[in-house]
Amino acid sequence: MAVEEPRPARMRPGDVLRVGGVGLRTRPLRAFLSVLGIAIGIAAMVAVVGISSSSRADLDHTLDALGTNLLTVTPGETLVGGTASLPKTAESMIGRIRPVDAVSAVGKVPKTNIYRNGRIPEAENNGLAPYAVRTDVLSTVRARLRSGVWLNAATSRYPATVLGATAAERLGIGRATAETRVLIGDRWFTVVGILEPAPLAPELDTAALMGWAAAEQELDFGGHPTTLYTRSADADVEQVASVLAGTANPEAPNEVTVSRPSDALAAKQAAGRAFTGLLLGLGAVALLVGGVGVANTMVISVLERRAEIGLRRSLGATRGQIRTQFLAESLLLSALGGLGGAVLGTAATTGYTLYQGWPTVVPPWALLGGVTATLTIGALAGLYPAIRASRLSPTEALAGG
């Protein structure tokens, strides 16, 4: 009667996890440092992707609120290289374009400075400039007031001004009151309002805005607009843009510049994405360093545990089971690092976006991809040590232990 050879016991998933965790429990500090190396790489990658996605979400929200259908018309250059000017009739001419829903204008008052009081040296103008504005410019560019009131048909005829956000900050004015005045040229103007930053009209941020009539009466403003703002339906924006230059200045359309401010915001975001790619590369390097740390830990673990390996082989463990044990240990290290890094990266993203006032967006693919990457690196890092451990014969391992 033939005698069957004993078959090695099969390791259940629970057994694999138990024996794979032996090295982690017996050498906790080394395991922690290996996990930390992986976690830093994953946290960096998740945080970079999360912050970049949150920034894009905030930009999308801003553009949804401000609209992408705002076009601006500004003077270009003359044929001889000088600065051109827009005709006084440009605003009314553009208003006749059928698809245009709204048009407004501002005009920079030249050679006029703004001061908090009359004792400040003339050279220290803080880079601020006065602008004559139409009363509907606020609604056209969709800017908002931080304090006070906006100009109306009455106040636009008198020396009253609304300061842009940056102008108010540089002048040290935090709130508009009836007693707050600024010196514009040689005239005192009462500050009736302060604006929030205007993303689509940044020239307003460093300006003192006054009514068109007041600028002509008080500061000898010539009446030529320097920026025209138009709104039209999204579907008509391209068509309107193509005729704005010729309509604003029929005699010299080549001296007119037409732009869409939202494109500048999108270009800024594109530049940010390039920087994001650099940071992702640095995160990948950190992740690779963590993988090398795991491989180093596993190689040393094999050398230190030769006696354990020899004993297990003597008790009937197969080479495959030894490989599985050390590969499982490597995967556990990587999984812990990946999960820890995902949590740290999400926390970092949440903290930064809360500070910036952005919506928090962490793409699921970033979390899943990060954990998958760590498991892949863990498998590769643990493969050689696992194979090396499985090739030790019982006598060799016990003798070396």
Side-chain angles (χ1 to χ4, degrees):
M1 184 176 180
V3 178
E4 293 185 3
E5 293 185 3
R7 294 182 180 178
R10 291 186 177 180
M11 295 179 65
R12 300 172 183 172
D15 298 327
V16 173
L17 290 176
R18 190 160 44 251
V19 297
V22 169
L24 278 62
R25 293 193 300 271
T26 56
R27 297 165 180 81
L29 181 58
R30 184 181 299 166
F32 171 76
L33 293 176
S34 298
V35 167
L36 183 62
I38 288 285
I40 289 173
I42 291 299
M45 297 179 71
V46 170
V48 167
V49 173
I51 291 173
S52 176
S53 299
S54 299
S55 175
R56 284 196 292 271
D58 180 68
L59 175 63
D60 292 341
H61 177 74
T62 300
L63 291 180
D64 287 342
L66 299 176
T68 57
N69 60 344
L70 179 71
L71 295 172
T72 62
V73 178
T74 54
E77 292 186 349
T78 62
L79 293 176
V80 295
T83 301
S85 62
L86 294 173
K88 294 182 180 180
T89 58
E91 183 181 359
S92 60
M93 292 292 289
I94 289 175
R96 297 176 184 175
I97 301 175
R98 184 180 298 275
V100 171
D101 297 327
V103 59
S104 191
V106 302
K108 185 176 181 179
V109 181
K111 301 179 181 179
T112 305
N113 296 328
I114 305 168
Y115 302 102
R116 186 69 176 88
N117 55 57
R119 295 184 296 274
I120 299 174
E122 185 175 350
E124 298 180 12
N125 59 13
N126 286 320
L128 307 179
Y131 277 79
V133 300
R134 301 298 188 188
T135 55
D136 58 355
V137 71
L138 192 69
S139 59
T140 303
V141 301
R142 296 181 185 171
R144 295 183 299 174
L145 280 167
R146 176 185 297 170
S147 172
V149 296
W150 178 243
L151 301 169
N152 54 40
T155 56
S156 63
R157 300 198 305 269
Y158 298 99
T161 183
V162 174
L163 299 178
T166 304
E169 180 182 351
R170 292 179 183 175
L171 292 171
I173 300 174
R175 191 165 58 92
T177 65
E179 294 77 25
T180 305
R181 298 193 304 167
V182 293
L183 186 62
I184 303 179
D186 57 356
R187 296 282 191 269
W188 287 100
F189 280 70
T190 301
V191 178
V192 298
I194 297 174
L195 295 180
E196 295 279 5
L200 295 187
E203 61 275 6
L204 303 184
D205 292 343
T206 55
L209 312 175
M210 64 198 68
W212 208 273
E216 291 176 331
Q217 295 168 8
E218 304 290 338
L219 302 175
D220 296 326
F221 171 56
H224 287 273
T226 51
T227 304
L228 295 166
Y229 306 97
T230 72
R231 290 275 184 185
S232 53
D234 289 335
D236 299 323
V237 169
E238 299 300 332
Q239 177 186 355
V240 171
S242 66
V243 300
L244 274 179
T247 305
N249 191 353
E251 294 182 359
N254 58 300
E255 296 180 359
V256 178
T257 300
V258 178
S259 64
R260 189 188 301 191
S262 57
D263 288 345
L265 292 179
K268 181 180 178 181
Q269 187 64 36
R273 284 197 291 271
F275 186 62
T276 296
L278 173 62
L279 293 180
L280 280 175
L282 295 176
V285 171
L287 182 58
L288 180 62
V289 171
V292 172
V294 170
N296 182 61
T297 297
M298 296 309 301
V299 169
I300 294 175
S301 181
V302 170
L303 295 175
E304 291 181 345
R305 296 162 64 187
R306 291 163 66 94
E308 175 193 333
I309 296 169
L311 182 59
R312 288 203 64 209
R313 290 297 310 279
S314 300
L315 294 176
T318 64
R319 290 185 174 183
Q321 290 173 342
I322 297 297
R323 280 196 301 269
T324 300
Q325 173 187 350
F326 282 89
L327 193 57
E329 184 174 328
S330 177
L331 288 172
L332 280 173
L333 283 173
S334 299
L336 289 173
L339 294 174
V343 172
L344 289 175
T346 302
T349 299
T350 302
Y352 186 80
T353 54
L354 287 176
Y355 173 75
Q356 294 288 346
W358 298 345
T360 301
V361 179
V362 180
W365 64 262
L367 298 174
L368 181 61
V371 174
T372 301
T374 58
L375 292 177
T376 302
I377 288 178
L380 295 174
L383 191 59
Y384 169 72
I387 293 175
R388 179 172 178 174
S390 67
R391 289 180 175 174
L392 291 175
S393 64
T395 53
E396 180 188 358
L398 287 171

